[in-house]
Amino acid sequence: MKDAVKEEAARVGRRIEIAKPALGVAERDAVLAVLESGVLTRGPRVEQFEENFAAYHGSRHAVAVANGTVALVAALEAYGIGPGDEVVVPAFTFLATATAVLAVGATPVVVDIDPDTYCLDPHAAAAAVGARTAALLPVHLFGQIADMPALQDLATRAGLLIVEDAAQAHGATLDGKFAGAWGTACFSFHATKNITTGEGGMVCTNDDAIAERLRQLRNHGRGGDDLVEVLGGNLRLSEIAAALGIVQLTRLEEFTARRRANAAAYDSGLRGVDAPPARPGAGHVYHQYTVRVPARIDRDEFVSALDLRGVGARVYYRDLVHSAAPIRGRVRVADRGTSVARQACREVCALPVHPLLSPDDLARVIDAVNSLC
Ligand SMILES: *Cc1c(COP(=O)(O)O)cnc(C)c1O
């Protein structure tokens, strides 16, 4: 570290991180209880976590898996999506949304986003649907449900399946409905997500046959009678992770309330940056609080300047989902292009909004941002 930076860091005090898991005594006790039980896999905690998660999200089934990426892969596979099929994905999302499609041998069709919500634009999606298109894979980005009514209309008209990337949308709603109400939804419990099991994932579905197939895929393709019915693998979540998940889920309401309160503090306190708009009817859970930096300010310099002030702002996402060389040649980019997503890649950054921020942290972030705008 340069001396000036060190001095500045010493002056501002504790760094405010972009994400931090909220783990307490209940989580510790739950993990210790698993160790004492000696049942580390395929036990009662995974079933309990699934039951509780499904109940919370109003879903018929929840199937726990090893992480959010394999949740997406397994959901696509359960629907039989594979080589020759196309799946519509937004241009502005985490890598795994597109690589999951490639993992089943299908082709991602990269489509532009809505400038306000940063989620898949239903009009652009409609224009990109072709003869081979099998499914829509919208992302409930930053904690806000995508425009699912419009996407569901499109899916019905064009005969498409819907898999929802809900990795950032635990407890998020639109018109009172949770992710999984419009399709089969895939959640992540990575350490940075709104609730965590370290690594972990969950697939929520109202389709009995898809749930059954997911359970087979998770366990080497075996059905209830242990016969191998499909080609599967080991996608299982451990009992330790599930024990964490059970406790974290009981705290989700509290976490979401804190995130919303933090977002409200930013909404009213920040000047000069565009706050993330919540659409009418949206129960935004603020996985990220993503702001648009005004054009006169260089976004990367803005993030560095915040860093100097001890504020861990981060750029999500700097590049389009398919920009990396191993992916680029294997997607179809919609004819209309991805200009809205490109602009977002250049202009946005996320401010810390996690539940462990103190009032003092919020004030520091607000002061730092306002001093730069
Ligand atoms: C985190 C994330 C994933 C992948 O989840 P992992 O549990 O990290 O595998 C997929 N899609 C989005 C949008 C994510 O944010």
Side-chain angles (χ1 to χ4, degrees):
M1 246 199 314
K2 279 183 266 153
D3 282 354
V5 178
K6 264 192 199 151
E7 273 169 33
E8 183 68 15
R11 195 181 65 75
V12 297
R14 191 174 56 82
R15 191 182 149 78
I16 304 171
E17 299 296 340
I18 186 74
K20 208 171 184 184
L23 302 169
V25 174
E27 282 84 355
R28 188 197 63 188
D29 290 349
V31 168
L32 290 180
V34 176
L35 300 187
E36 278 157 18
S37 79
V39 182
L40 299 186
T41 187
R42 301 194 72 182
R45 267 101 179 168
V46 167
E47 273 179 39
Q48 189 68 58
F49 185 33
E50 290 178 338
E51 206 173 288
N52 298 359
F53 198 87
Y56 187 91
H57 289 89
S59 185
R60 269 174 75 85
H61 306 278
V63 179
V65 293
N67 57 60
T69 304
V70 302
L72 289 166
V73 176
L76 293 167
E77 210 168 335
Y79 278 114
I81 293 170
D85 293 325
E86 288 183 346
V87 178
V88 171
V89 302
F92 189 64
T93 178
F94 182 58
L95 202 61
T97 313
T99 56
V101 176
L102 292 171
V104 299
T107 302
V109 181
V110 179
V111 166
D112 215 350
I113 55 165
D114 171 82
D116 291 327
T117 62
Y118 307 113
C119 292
L120 184 62
D121 176 352
H123 300 291
V129 169
R132 290 176 177 277
T133 310
L136 303 175
L137 179 34
V139 181
H140 304 318
L141 201 70
F142 303 143
Q144 180 159 233
I145 301 281
D147 187 353
M148 294 313 298
L151 291 168
Q152 191 164 48
D153 279 354
L154 169 60
T156 305
R157 277 200 318 276
L160 306 174
L161 300 163
I162 297 179
V163 174
E164 302 168 48
D165 184 337
Q168 305 182 357
H170 319 76
T173 55
L174 181 63
D175 302 328
K177 293 185 203 164
F178 292 92
W182 301 274
T184 287
C186 303
F187 294 84
S188 164
F189 308 119
H190 180 261
T192 58
K193 300 287 156 68
N194 289 27
I195 58 174
T196 185
T197 64
E199 300 278 3
M202 189 76 82
V203 187
C204 282
T205 186
N206 292 318
D207 186 319
D208 297 347
I210 291 298
E212 177 63 22
R213 180 53 59 98
L214 286 165
R215 291 182 195 287
Q216 291 169 353
L217 288 169
R218 170 175 68 178
N219 190 34
H220 303 290
R222 287 183 176 135
D225 47 13
D226 262 8
L227 285 176
V228 177
E229 299 182 9
V230 288
L231 185 62
N234 178 356
L235 317 183
R236 293 187 300 262
L237 188 73
S238 79
E239 285 284 292
I240 296 171
L244 277 173
I246 291 168
V247 177
Q248 287 268 294
L249 185 61
T250 65
R251 303 176 64 192
L252 178 56
E253 298 259 293
E254 164 208 332
F255 292 162
T256 301
R258 294 293 294 267
R259 286 176 181 275
R260 285 178 178 155
N262 295 345
Y266 288 155
D267 285 346
S268 60
L270 294 177
R271 292 186 302 270
V273 291
D274 285 347
R279 274 191 303 134
H284 201 316
V285 297
Y286 294 99
H287 172 61
Q288 301 293 355
Y289 187 91
T290 295
V291 298
R292 206 180 271 275
V293 178
R296 65 192 156 76
I297 300 173
D298 180 89
R299 189 269 319 268
D300 290 341
E301 282 171 18
F302 179 80
V303 170
S304 305
L306 286 176
D307 200 59
L308 267 182
R309 289 162 172 77
V311 174
R314 286 286 290 271
V315 175
Y316 299 114
Y317 296 92
R318 181 173 297 282
D319 297 302
L320 300 180
V321 68
H322 62 291
S323 61
I327 305 172
R328 200 181 306 141
R330 303 176 63 187
V331 307
R332 175 166 76 82
V333 178
D335 292 341
R336 285 189 178 196
T338 55
S339 57
V340 180
R342 275 172 200 283
Q343 193 173 349
C345 289
R346 282 194 307 271
E347 293 184 349
V348 307
C349 71
L351 303 176
V353 72
H354 62 76
L356 298 180
L357 296 175
S358 67
D360 183 54
D361 292 335
L362 293 170
R364 273 179 57 198
V365 175
I366 291 169
D367 284 351
V369 170
N370 289 348
S371 74
L372 295 169
C373 288

mmCIF file with all atom_site columns, all heavy atoms in Angstrom, residues 342-359:
data_model
loop_
_atom_site.group_PDB
_atom_site.id
_atom_site.type_symbol
_atom_site.label_atom_id
_atom_site.label_alt_id
_atom_site.label_comp_id
_atom_site.label_asym_id
_atom_site.label_entity_id
_atom_site.label_seq_id
_atom_site.pdbx_PDB_ins_code
_atom_site.Cartn_x
_atom_site.Cartn_y
_atom_site.Cartn_z
_atom_site.occupancy
_atom_site.B_iso_or_equiv
_atom_site.pdbx_formal_charge
_atom_site.auth_seq_id
_atom_site.auth_comp_id
_atom_site.auth_asym_id
_atom_site.auth_atom_id
_atom_site.pdbx_PDB_model_num
ATOM 1   N N   . ARG A 1 342 ? -24.412 -2.468 -21.812 1.00 0.00 ? 342 ARG A N   1
ATOM 2   C CA  . ARG A 1 342 ? -23.051 -1.910 -21.940 1.00 0.00 ? 342 ARG A CA  1
ATOM 3   C C   . ARG A 1 342 ? -22.909 -0.628 -21.132 1.00 0.00 ? 342 ARG A C   1
ATOM 4   O O   . ARG A 1 342 ? -21.904 -0.394 -20.462 1.00 0.00 ? 342 ARG A O   1
ATOM 5   C CB  . ARG A 1 342 ? -22.749 -1.573 -23.403 1.00 0.00 ? 342 ARG A CB  1
ATOM 6   C CG  . ARG A 1 342 ? -22.247 -2.729 -24.192 1.00 0.00 ? 342 ARG A CG  1
ATOM 7   C CD  . ARG A 1 342 ? -22.164 -2.366 -25.684 1.00 0.00 ? 342 ARG A CD  1
ATOM 8   N NE  . ARG A 1 342 ? -22.150 -3.592 -26.442 1.00 0.00 ? 342 ARG A NE  1
ATOM 9   C CZ  . ARG A 1 342 ? -21.072 -4.370 -26.552 1.00 0.00 ? 342 ARG A CZ  1
ATOM 10  N NH1 . ARG A 1 342 ? -19.931 -3.998 -26.005 1.00 0.00 ? 342 ARG A NH1 1
ATOM 11  N NH2 . ARG A 1 342 ? -21.139 -5.498 -27.218 1.00 0.00 ? 342 ARG A NH2 1
ATOM 12  N N   . GLN A 1 343 ? -23.941 0.198  -21.224 1.00 0.00 ? 343 GLN A N   1
ATOM 13  C CA  . GLN A 1 343 ? -23.904 1.462  -20.490 1.00 0.00 ? 343 GLN A CA  1
ATOM 14  C C   . GLN A 1 343 ? -23.878 1.190  -18.972 1.00 0.00 ? 343 GLN A C   1
ATOM 15  O O   . GLN A 1 343 ? -23.138 1.832  -18.229 1.00 0.00 ? 343 GLN A O   1
ATOM 16  C CB  . GLN A 1 343 ? -25.126 2.302  -20.864 1.00 0.00 ? 343 GLN A CB  1
ATOM 17  C CG  . GLN A 1 343 ? -24.994 3.720  -20.390 1.00 0.00 ? 343 GLN A CG  1
ATOM 18  C CD  . GLN A 1 343 ? -26.112 4.606  -20.904 1.00 0.00 ? 343 GLN A CD  1
ATOM 19  O OE1 . GLN A 1 343 ? -26.900 4.222  -21.786 1.00 0.00 ? 343 GLN A OE1 1
ATOM 20  N NE2 . GLN A 1 343 ? -26.205 5.802  -20.332 1.00 0.00 ? 343 GLN A NE2 1
ATOM 21  N N   . ALA A 1 344 ? -24.679 0.228  -18.542 1.00 0.00 ? 344 ALA A N   1
ATOM 22  C CA  . ALA A 1 344 ? -24.691 -0.119 -17.109 1.00 0.00 ? 344 ALA A CA  1
ATOM 23  C C   . ALA A 1 344 ? -23.294 -0.594 -16.678 1.00 0.00 ? 344 ALA A C   1
ATOM 24  O O   . ALA A 1 344 ? -22.802 -0.214 -15.611 1.00 0.00 ? 344 ALA A O   1
ATOM 25  C CB  . ALA A 1 344 ? -25.743 -1.188 -16.830 1.00 0.00 ? 344 ALA A CB  1
ATOM 26  N N   . CYS A 1 345 ? -22.646 -1.402 -17.502 1.00 0.00 ? 345 CYS A N   1
ATOM 27  C CA  . CYS A 1 345 ? -21.293 -1.890 -17.181 1.00 0.00 ? 345 CYS A CA  1
ATOM 28  C C   . CYS A 1 345 ? -20.322 -0.728 -16.937 1.00 0.00 ? 345 CYS A C   1
ATOM 29  O O   . CYS A 1 345 ? -19.403 -0.839 -16.140 1.00 0.00 ? 345 CYS A O   1
ATOM 30  C CB  . CYS A 1 345 ? -20.727 -2.751 -18.306 1.00 0.00 ? 345 CYS A CB  1
ATOM 31  S SG  . CYS A 1 345 ? -21.529 -4.351 -18.467 1.00 0.00 ? 345 CYS A SG  1
ATOM 32  N N   . ARG A 1 346 ? -20.544 0.372  -17.659 1.00 0.00 ? 346 ARG A N   1
ATOM 33  C CA  . ARG A 1 346 ? -19.650 1.537  -17.533 1.00 0.00 ? 346 ARG A CA  1
ATOM 34  C C   . ARG A 1 346 ? -20.018 2.454  -16.371 1.00 0.00 ? 346 ARG A C   1
ATOM 35  O O   . ARG A 1 346 ? -19.174 3.142  -15.827 1.00 0.00 ? 346 ARG A O   1
ATOM 36  C CB  . ARG A 1 346 ? -19.704 2.388  -18.816 1.00 0.00 ? 346 ARG A CB  1
ATOM 37  C CG  . ARG A 1 346 ? -18.918 1.867  -19.985 1.00 0.00 ? 346 ARG A CG  1
ATOM 38  C CD  . ARG A 1 346 ? -18.769 2.958  -21.060 1.00 0.00 ? 346 ARG A CD  1
ATOM 39  N NE  . ARG A 1 346 ? -20.035 3.551  -21.466 1.00 0.00 ? 346 ARG A NE  1
ATOM 40  C CZ  . ARG A 1 346 ? -20.798 3.087  -22.451 1.00 0.00 ? 346 ARG A CZ  1
ATOM 41  N NH1 . ARG A 1 346 ? -20.450 2.019  -23.132 1.00 0.00 ? 346 ARG A NH1 1
ATOM 42  N NH2 . ARG A 1 346 ? -21.923 3.690  -22.761 1.00 0.00 ? 346 ARG A NH2 1
ATOM 43  N N   . GLU A 1 347 ? -21.307 2.495  -16.005 1.00 0.00 ? 347 GLU A N   1
ATOM 44  C CA  . GLU A 1 347 ? -21.793 3.584  -15.141 1.00 0.00 ? 347 GLU A CA  1
ATOM 45  C C   . GLU A 1 347 ? -22.166 3.201  -13.712 1.00 0.00 ? 347 GLU A C   1
ATOM 46  O O   . GLU A 1 347 ? -22.311 4.081  -12.874 1.00 0.00 ? 347 GLU A O   1
ATOM 47  C CB  . GLU A 1 347 ? -23.021 4.238  -15.792 1.00 0.00 ? 347 GLU A CB  1
ATOM 48  C CG  . GLU A 1 347 ? -22.699 4.967  -17.074 1.00 0.00 ? 347 GLU A CG  1
ATOM 49  C CD  . GLU A 1 347 ? -23.896 5.694  -17.650 1.00 0.00 ? 347 GLU A CD  1
ATOM 50  O OE1 . GLU A 1 347 ? -25.041 5.482  -17.183 1.00 0.00 ? 347 GLU A OE1 1
ATOM 51  O OE2 . GLU A 1 347 ? -23.697 6.477  -18.590 1.00 0.00 ? 347 GLU A OE2 1
ATOM 52  N N   . VAL A 1 348 ? -22.390 1.902  -13.422 1.00 0.00 ? 348 VAL A N   1
ATOM 53  C CA  . VAL A 1 348 ? -22.950 1.591  -12.104 1.00 0.00 ? 348 VAL A CA  1
ATOM 54  C C   . VAL A 1 348 ? -21.897 1.073  -11.130 1.00 0.00 ? 348 VAL A C   1
ATOM 55  O O   . VAL A 1 348 ? -20.843 0.566  -11.527 1.00 0.00 ? 348 VAL A O   1
ATOM 56  C CB  . VAL A 1 348 ? -24.111 0.560  -12.188 1.00 0.00 ? 348 VAL A CB  1
ATOM 57  C CG1 . VAL A 1 348 ? -25.177 1.024  -13.178 1.00 0.00 ? 348 VAL A CG1 1
ATOM 58  C CG2 . VAL A 1 348 ? -23.617 -0.831 -12.509 1.00 0.00 ? 348 VAL A CG2 1
ATOM 59  N N   . CYS A 1 349 ? -22.210 1.221  -9.848  1.00 0.00 ? 349 CYS A N   1
ATOM 60  C CA  . CYS A 1 349 ? -21.471 0.513  -8.811  1.00 0.00 ? 349 CYS A CA  1
ATOM 61  C C   . CYS A 1 349 ? -22.387 0.274  -7.620  1.00 0.00 ? 349 CYS A C   1
ATOM 62  O O   . CYS A 1 349 ? -23.425 0.915  -7.486  1.00 0.00 ? 349 CYS A O   1
ATOM 63  C CB  . CYS A 1 349 ? -20.214 1.268  -8.392  1.00 0.00 ? 349 CYS A CB  1
ATOM 64  S SG  . CYS A 1 349 ? -20.525 2.745  -7.449  1.00 0.00 ? 349 CYS A SG  1
ATOM 65  N N   . ALA A 1 350 ? -22.004 -0.693 -6.794  1.00 0.00 ? 350 ALA A N   1
ATOM 66  C CA  . ALA A 1 350 ? -22.824 -1.073 -5.635  1.00 0.00 ? 350 ALA A CA  1
ATOM 67  C C   . ALA A 1 350 ? -22.185 -0.508 -4.367  1.00 0.00 ? 350 ALA A C   1
ATOM 68  O O   . ALA A 1 350 ? -20.963 -0.548 -4.211  1.00 0.00 ? 350 ALA A O   1
ATOM 69  C CB  . ALA A 1 350 ? -22.916 -2.587 -5.560  1.00 0.00 ? 350 ALA A CB  1
ATOM 70  N N   . LEU A 1 351 ? -23.039 0.000  -3.492  1.00 0.00 ? 351 LEU A N   1
ATOM 71  C CA  . LEU A 1 351 ? -22.593 0.504  -2.183  1.00 0.00 ? 351 LEU A CA  1
ATOM 72  C C   . LEU A 1 351 ? -22.946 -0.536 -1.117  1.00 0.00 ? 351 LEU A C   1
ATOM 73  O O   . LEU A 1 351 ? -23.927 -1.257 -1.275  1.00 0.00 ? 351 LEU A O   1
ATOM 74  C CB  . LEU A 1 351 ? -23.303 1.825  -1.862  1.00 0.00 ? 351 LEU A CB  1
ATOM 75  C CG  . LEU A 1 351 ? -23.122 2.950  -2.880  1.00 0.00 ? 351 LEU A CG  1
ATOM 76  C CD1 . LEU A 1 351 ? -23.969 4.166  -2.477  1.00 0.00 ? 351 LEU A CD1 1
ATOM 77  C CD2 . LEU A 1 351 ? -21.653 3.335  -2.987  1.00 0.00 ? 351 LEU A CD2 1
ATOM 78  N N   . PRO A 1 352 ? -22.173 -0.590 -0.019  1.00 0.00 ? 352 PRO A N   1
ATOM 79  C CA  . PRO A 1 352 ? -22.487 -1.572 1.031   1.00 0.00 ? 352 PRO A CA  1
ATOM 80  C C   . PRO A 1 352 ? -23.910 -1.354 1.570   1.00 0.00 ? 352 PRO A C   1
ATOM 81  O O   . PRO A 1 352 ? -24.271 -0.224 1.894   1.00 0.00 ? 352 PRO A O   1
ATOM 82  C CB  . PRO A 1 352 ? -21.452 -1.254 2.125   1.00 0.00 ? 352 PRO A CB  1
ATOM 83  C CG  . PRO A 1 352 ? -20.348 -0.534 1.426   1.00 0.00 ? 352 PRO A CG  1
ATOM 84  C CD  . PRO A 1 352 ? -20.981 0.211  0.300   1.00 0.00 ? 352 PRO A CD  1
ATOM 85  N N   . VAL A 1 353 ? -24.700 -2.428 1.653   1.00 0.00 ? 353 VAL A N   1
ATOM 86  C CA  . VAL A 1 353 ? -26.093 -2.297 2.125   1.00 0.00 ? 353 VAL A CA  1
ATOM 87  C C   . VAL A 1 353 ? -26.448 -3.443 3.078   1.00 0.00 ? 353 VAL A C   1
ATOM 88  O O   . VAL A 1 353 ? -27.569 -3.562 3.530   1.00 0.00 ? 353 VAL A O   1
ATOM 89  C CB  . VAL A 1 353 ? -27.057 -2.224 0.898   1.00 0.00 ? 353 VAL A CB  1
ATOM 90  C CG1 . VAL A 1 353 ? -27.166 -3.574 0.210   1.00 0.00 ? 353 VAL A CG1 1
ATOM 91  C CG2 . VAL A 1 353 ? -28.436 -1.677 1.279   1.00 0.00 ? 353 VAL A CG2 1
ATOM 92  N N   . HIS A 1 354 ? -25.458 -4.261 3.439   1.00 0.00 ? 354 HIS A N   1
ATOM 93  C CA  . HIS A 1 354 ? -25.724 -5.489 4.213   1.00 0.00 ? 354 HIS A CA  1
ATOM 94  C C   . HIS A 1 354 ? -26.239 -5.176 5.623   1.00 0.00 ? 354 HIS A C   1
ATOM 95  O O   . HIS A 1 354 ? -26.085 -4.040 6.115   1.00 0.00 ? 354 HIS A O   1
ATOM 96  C CB  . HIS A 1 354 ? -24.458 -6.358 4.245   1.00 0.00 ? 354 HIS A CB  1
ATOM 97  C CG  . HIS A 1 354 ? -23.286 -5.723 4.905   1.00 0.00 ? 354 HIS A CG  1
ATOM 98  N ND1 . HIS A 1 354 ? -23.181 -5.614 6.263   1.00 0.00 ? 354 HIS A ND1 1
ATOM 99  C CD2 . HIS A 1 354 ? -22.174 -5.134 4.399   1.00 0.00 ? 354 HIS A CD2 1
ATOM 100 C CE1 . HIS A 1 354 ? -22.040 -5.003 6.569   1.00 0.00 ? 354 HIS A CE1 1
ATOM 101 N NE2 . HIS A 1 354 ? -21.415 -4.702 5.451   1.00 0.00 ? 354 HIS A NE2 1
ATOM 102 N N   . PRO A 1 355 ? -26.831 -6.171 6.278   1.00 0.00 ? 355 PRO A N   1
ATOM 103 C CA  . PRO A 1 355 ? -27.529 -5.916 7.547   1.00 0.00 ? 355 PRO A CA  1
ATOM 104 C C   . PRO A 1 355 ? -26.629 -5.533 8.721   1.00 0.00 ? 355 PRO A C   1
ATOM 105 O O   . PRO A 1 355 ? -27.141 -5.061 9.739   1.00 0.00 ? 355 PRO A O   1
ATOM 106 C CB  . PRO A 1 355 ? -28.231 -7.247 7.860   1.00 0.00 ? 355 PRO A CB  1
ATOM 107 C CG  . PRO A 1 355 ? -28.012 -8.145 6.725   1.00 0.00 ? 355 PRO A CG  1
ATOM 108 C CD  . PRO A 1 355 ? -27.029 -7.546 5.790   1.00 0.00 ? 355 PRO A CD  1
ATOM 109 N N   . LEU A 1 356 ? -25.317 -5.711 8.599   1.00 0.00 ? 356 LEU A N   1
ATOM 110 C CA  . LEU A 1 356 ? -24.455 -5.413 9.746   1.00 0.00 ? 356 LEU A CA  1
ATOM 111 C C   . LEU A 1 356 ? -23.947 -3.966 9.765   1.00 0.00 ? 356 LEU A C   1
ATOM 112 O O   . LEU A 1 356 ? -23.169 -3.591 10.637  1.00 0.00 ? 356 LEU A O   1
ATOM 113 C CB  . LEU A 1 356 ? -23.257 -6.377 9.773   1.00 0.00 ? 356 LEU A CB  1
ATOM 114 C CG  . LEU A 1 356 ? -23.626 -7.856 9.942   1.00 0.00 ? 356 LEU A CG  1
ATOM 115 C CD1 . LEU A 1 356 ? -22.368 -8.725 9.949   1.00 0.00 ? 356 LEU A CD1 1
ATOM 116 C CD2 . LEU A 1 356 ? -24.427 -8.079 11.224  1.00 0.00 ? 356 LEU A CD2 1
ATOM 117 N N   . LEU A 1 357 ? -24.399 -3.147 8.815   1.00 0.00 ? 357 LEU A N   1
ATOM 118 C CA  . LEU A 1 357 ? -23.965 -1.744 8.803   1.00 0.00 ? 357 LEU A CA  1
ATOM 119 C C   . LEU A 1 357 ? -24.563 -1.015 10.005  1.00 0.00 ? 357 LEU A C   1
ATOM 120 O O   . LEU A 1 357 ? -25.745 -1.191 10.320  1.00 0.00 ? 357 LEU A O   1
ATOM 121 C CB  . LEU A 1 357 ? -24.429 -1.058 7.515   1.00 0.00 ? 357 LEU A CB  1
ATOM 122 C CG  . LEU A 1 357 ? -23.847 -1.578 6.204   1.00 0.00 ? 357 LEU A CG  1
ATOM 123 C CD1 . LEU A 1 357 ? -24.515 -0.866 5.032   1.00 0.00 ? 357 LEU A CD1 1
ATOM 124 C CD2 . LEU A 1 357 ? -22.338 -1.385 6.151   1.00 0.00 ? 357 LEU A CD2 1
ATOM 125 N N   . SER A 1 358 ? -23.753 -0.176 10.626  1.00 0.00 ? 358 SER A N   1
ATOM 126 C CA  . SER A 1 358 ? -24.239 0.632  11.753  1.00 0.00 ? 358 SER A CA  1
ATOM 127 C C   . SER A 1 358 ? -24.734 1.980  11.214  1.00 0.00 ? 358 SER A C   1
ATOM 128 O O   . SER A 1 358 ? -24.407 2.349  10.079  1.00 0.00 ? 358 SER A O   1
ATOM 129 C CB  . SER A 1 358 ? -23.099 0.865  12.735  1.00 0.00 ? 358 SER A CB  1
ATOM 130 O OG  . SER A 1 358 ? -22.119 1.696  12.120  1.00 0.00 ? 358 SER A OG  1
ATOM 131 N N   . PRO A 1 359 ? -25.483 2.737  12.026  1.00 0.00 ? 359 PRO A N   1
ATOM 132 C CA  . PRO A 1 359 ? -25.884 4.086  11.602  1.00 0.00 ? 359 PRO A CA  1
ATOM 133 C C   . PRO A 1 359 ? -24.663 4.937  11.244  1.00 0.00 ? 359 PRO A C   1
ATOM 134 O O   . PRO A 1 359 ? -24.702 5.717  10.293  1.00 0.00 ? 359 PRO A O   1
ATOM 135 C CB  . PRO A 1 359 ? -26.609 4.646  12.829  1.00 0.00 ? 359 PRO A CB  1
ATOM 136 C CG  . PRO A 1 359 ? -27.118 3.431  13.555  1.00 0.00 ? 359 PRO A CG  1
ATOM 137 C CD  . PRO A 1 359 ? -26.093 2.361  13.322  1.00 0.00 ? 359 PRO A CD  1
#
